[in-house]
Amino acid sequence: MSDKRKIILMTKLAIYDKKLGDSDRKLAKYFRHDYIYRKNMWTRFFVGIATVIIIGLYWAYKIFIDGTDIFGIDYEAAIFKSVVFALVVIVFYSIIGTIIATIEYQQAKLRLQRYFKVLNHLDKLRSQDMENDKYDLINEVRRELNKNAKNGAKDFEGASSDGAGFTD
């Protein structure tokens, strides 16, 4: 029964290692704050690039398709609106990125805790089996000694009077 249970535990550990083990261990190298900061840094960078592209496409549409006069544009207001739009989008995605990164980090830590709990349980089962094997070996040696002692007593019944155990 213990062997079946150990096989089940080892299978669970192997499945975890194959699917999520490497990524969770890589993530666990960071403190939570550092992991979230790192993820958000890339989120902000790519959202900023996407926002600049969207603003550029908007102005290209306004100028080339709508036919807006380039000299009639209030550049101060347009830049202010574009900067505000970019900041709002970056802050929005930073908040969402923080929430997602926090959830990822917590789930990975929880999975690693479960992994080590199962690993410790497997180690306890293994040490119990080793302890049982040791006692089984001791009991087997005792049985052999008792068996030999009984056989030896039978051998001594026919022994000579000099006590050497040999017959004439």
Side-chain angles (χ1 to χ4, degrees):
M1 185 64 172
S2 179
D3 289 336
K4 184 177 179 181
R5 186 168 181 148
K6 285 194 304 188
I7 290 170
I8 290 170
L9 292 176
M10 287 188 283
T11 304
K12 285 181 181 181
L13 293 174
I15 289 170
Y16 171 79
D17 276 338
K18 186 171 180 141
K19 288 185 178 180
L20 299 169
D22 291 335
S23 63
D24 284 352
R25 278 189 285 280
K26 190 187 308 182
L27 185 143
K29 291 190 299 188
Y30 299 103
F31 290 110
R32 185 175 66 93
H33 177 73
D34 294 338
Y35 175 74
I36 293 169
Y37 174 77
R38 188 167 180 247
K39 291 287 270 190
N40 272 339
M41 176 185 67
W42 289 109
T43 300
R44 289 182 192 116
F45 177 72
F46 288 115
V47 167
I49 289 173
T51 304
V52 168
I53 291 171
I54 290 170
I55 291 170
L57 289 173
Y58 170 77
W59 283 108
Y61 173 79
K62 289 293 258 178
I63 292 170
F64 296 116
I65 298 195
D66 267 355
T68 304
D69 184 23
I70 296 175
F71 300 110
I73 299 173
D74 183 11
Y75 286 106
E76 285 182 26
I79 291 173
F80 179 76
K81 288 178 184 178
S82 297
V83 168
V84 168
F85 173 74
L87 288 176
V88 167
V89 169
I90 290 172
V91 167
F92 176 74
Y93 278 100
S94 292
I95 291 170
I96 290 176
T98 300
I99 293 168
I100 291 171
T102 302
I103 291 170
E104 280 178 357
Y105 189 84
Q106 288 173 343
Q107 288 175 344
K109 283 291 193 175
L110 184 63
R111 284 190 301 264
L112 279 171
Q113 286 173 350
R114 288 182 191 149
Y115 176 81
F116 285 117
K117 186 177 178 181
V118 170
L119 198 59
N120 287 334
H121 185 67
L122 182 63
D123 193 40
K124 285 179 185 176
L125 287 176
R126 186 183 59 83
S127 64
Q128 286 173 356
D129 284 350
M130 288 176 65
E131 216 33 57
N132 291 340
D133 289 346
K134 182 174 91 173
Y135 288 124
D136 288 344
L137 182 63
I138 290 171
N139 289 333
E140 186 177 327
V141 168
R142 283 184 184 157
R143 280 191 296 271
E144 283 294 317
L145 288 174
N146 288 336
K147 185 173 146 185
N148 289 340
K150 288 178 185 177
N151 289 339
K154 290 180 183 177
D155 289 342
F156 286 123
E157 289 174 2
S160 64
S161 60
D162 63 356
F166 297 109
T167 58
D168 294 339

